[in-house]
Amino acid sequence: MTPRRQQILSTAADLFAARGFHGVSMGDIGAAVGVSGPALYKHFASKDDILGQCLLHASDQLLAGARELLPDAEAAPGDALEALIARHADFALDNPALIVVQEREWGALGADTRAQVRKRQLAYVDVWCDALRPLRPDLSAAQARAAVQAAFGLLNSTPHSARIGRGAMHALLTSMAHAALLPWTVTRPGGPGPSR
Amino acid sequence: MTPRRQQILSTAADLFAARGFHGVSMGDIGAAVGVSGPALYKHFASKDDILGQCLLHASDQLLAGARELLPDAEAAPGDALEALIARHADFALDNPALIVVQEREWGALGADTRAQVRKRQLAYVDVWCDALRPLRPDLSAAQARAAVQAAFGLLNSTPHSARIGRGAMHALLTSMAHAALLPWTVTRPGGPGPSR
DNA sequence: TCCGCTGGTTAATGATCGTTAACCCCTGTG
DNA sequence: CACAGGGGTTAACGATCATTAACCAGCGGA
């Protein structure tokens, strides 16, 4: 993939995240990358194509990252979920625009592209559920999916706040997600807890 | 407020949540309430006015509901956060469209209305922080705000899943939010836990 | 040197949108 | 009965948008 394409996709994702797909014109995207309007058709077939490539790229990255983690965790199954949480937090902190666009604009996609993105998203949720369910046998399959989606909502809250540094945010989000999904495994640190 | 106005606001919120503010035309909103296009100007000054009233109404309801809870909780301060979580989960489950629009379209507002909505949202976060910080003295003010926003993200994940019934969803969300914000107070129920 | 391709440009086209204008019906009240 | 006003209609206007057309500069290979 040519660097121009990547630049356009990244810039468009930022604009879509800030103003919504229908709130951004081709002229806006072109101006943001230093060319003007119709030049974008040399790289993409249409505005919908730009959005589609954004979402396909984002869902691909998330799913591939999660699957990359799985072989390592077979020996210590309890750590798989931990790794998924940390990886997702990294992705959300590094690509807030992709996170926002992915959860906001999937309805603006054509049926075919939407199906492809949906497939990746469902597969991603499945990876999480496979990691969660052995640790939470009290949850039904549907409950596990809902819990995973809720954890995504927590981790994806990054774009709405981020007043503390990236490292602190990462630590906060991962610890909260861990507690939300595996509440009984939390150990109180040595420092002053809330009971005092 | 006349019932027609409320019908328009509610219908518009659903449409805005589904397709985004710029993805909905005045004709769409009119058709959804059974009138056509320009008739809406008998009730609202402009399309932006409709969005503004939606967001003002939503932020008002959330903030008023939270403040209504506070006096009752003065005797038992530890329960204030519990009540806020339960109330927010109720609101999110009952008004998914308002939740989506509120976190998605605030950027499309005019400066004046945006400031009003922002003020209510900040006050709402403050209510949560005031309830949380006595229970979590280990968190700085900024960390508490970020944690509260993350809890919102968790509770607001409702529109993205909701495959289990409302009661089960409410129980799941409140227990996860509790564990995420107050991890050390979680008690394992008598039933079969993950430790077998 | 000529040629074709890549990646630009500006102008034009047709559709859609927010908004206004002009008009109309109904209903309650003097 | 006259009539004012609330709530609706269709038609029209100007702006904006996605997309296409037509054209052009640079450049690597025959």
Side-chain angles (χ1 to χ4, degrees):
Chain A
M1 161 140 13
T2 149
R4 210 34 182 305
R5 268 179 74 97
Q6 283 186 323
Q7 182 199 13
I8 294 173
L9 284 180
S10 162
T11 305
D14 288 341
L15 291 174
F16 291 159
R19 313 212 293 265
F21 177 67
H22 295 291
V24 176
S25 72
M26 293 294 272
D28 293 334
I29 302 173
V33 302
V35 303
S36 246
L40 301 175
Y41 290 87
K42 302 289 175 168
H43 303 274
F44 297 93
S46 67
K47 191 187 173 190
D48 299 80
D49 185 32
I50 296 180
L51 178 65
Q53 300 298 327
C54 275
L55 293 190
L56 286 173
H57 182 244
S59 52
D60 244 358
Q61 253 188 285
L62 265 178
L63 180 57
R67 288 192 165 144
E68 185 185 295
L69 253 37
L70 284 201
D72 314 345
E74 277 180 10
D79 293 341
L81 190 62
E82 220 57 55
L84 286 174
I85 291 172
R87 175 69 72 117
H88 191 106
D90 274 324
F91 186 86
L93 287 166
D94 289 337
N95 309 282
L98 287 185
I99 286 289
V100 167
V101 173
Q102 176 129 16
E103 73 183 9
R104 185 180 294 187
E105 310 284 6
W106 67 269
L109 253 41
D112 46 346
T113 311
R114 178 161 64 237
Q116 288 179 258
V117 172
R118 219 58 189 150
K119 192 152 92 178
R120 285 163 172 79
Q121 288 178 337
L122 289 179
Y124 184 66
V125 173
D126 280 340
V127 172
W128 277 66
C129 285
D130 289 346
L132 176 64
R133 293 206 65 196
L135 306 172
R136 290 292 302 273
D138 57 312
L139 295 182
S140 71
Q143 284 175 320
R145 297 187 87 84
V148 165
Q149 303 261 21
F152 291 168
L154 191 157
L155 293 170
N156 294 348
S157 71
T158 280
H160 305 309
S161 44
R163 220 71 198 86
I164 60 183
R166 195 210 128 110
M169 192 60 146
H170 191 276
L172 181 71
L173 290 176
T174 51
S175 74
M176 288 182 73
H178 177 100
L181 290 173
L182 304 172
W184 306 304
T185 70
V186 174
T187 59
R188 181 206 242 99
S195 72
R196 155 66 185 92
Chain B
M1 161 140 9
T2 148
R4 212 27 177 317
R5 267 180 75 97
Q6 283 186 324
Q7 182 200 15
I8 294 172
L9 283 180
S10 161
T11 305
D14 287 341
L15 291 174
F16 291 158
R19 313 212 294 263
F21 177 68
H22 296 291
V24 176
S25 72
M26 292 295 272
D28 293 334
I29 303 173
V33 302
V35 303
S36 244
L40 301 175
Y41 289 87
K42 303 289 177 174
H43 303 275
F44 296 93
S46 67
K47 191 188 172 190
D48 299 79
D49 185 33
I50 296 180
L51 177 64
Q53 300 297 329
C54 275
L55 292 191
L56 285 173
H57 182 245
S59 53
D60 244 359
Q61 252 188 284
L62 265 178
L63 180 58
R67 289 196 164 141
E68 185 185 297
L69 253 38
L70 284 201
D72 315 345
E74 278 181 12
D79 293 341
L81 190 62
E82 221 56 57
L84 286 174
I85 291 172
R87 175 69 71 117
H88 190 106
D90 274 324
F91 186 86
L93 287 166
D94 289 337
N95 309 280
L98 287 186
I99 286 289
V100 167
V101 173
Q102 177 130 15
E103 72 183 10
R104 185 180 293 186
E105 309 284 4
W106 67 269
L109 253 40
D112 46 345
T113 310
R114 178 161 64 237
Q116 288 179 258
V117 172
R118 218 58 187 150
K119 192 152 93 176
R120 286 163 172 78
Q121 288 178 337
L122 290 178
Y124 184 65
V125 173
D126 280 340
V127 172
W128 278 66
C129 285
D130 290 345
L132 175 64
R133 293 205 66 196
L135 307 172
R136 291 291 304 272
D138 57 312
L139 294 181
S140 72
Q143 284 175 320
R145 295 187 86 86
V148 165
Q149 303 260 21
F152 291 168
L154 191 158
L155 293 169
N156 294 347
S157 71
T158 281
H160 306 308
S161 42
R163 219 69 196 86
I164 60 183
R166 195 211 128 108
M169 192 58 144
H170 191 276
L172 180 72
L173 290 176
T174 52
S175 73
M176 287 181 74
H178 178 100
L181 290 173
L182 304 172
W184 305 305
T185 70
V186 174
T187 58
R188 180 206 243 96
S195 69
R196 176 76 181 92

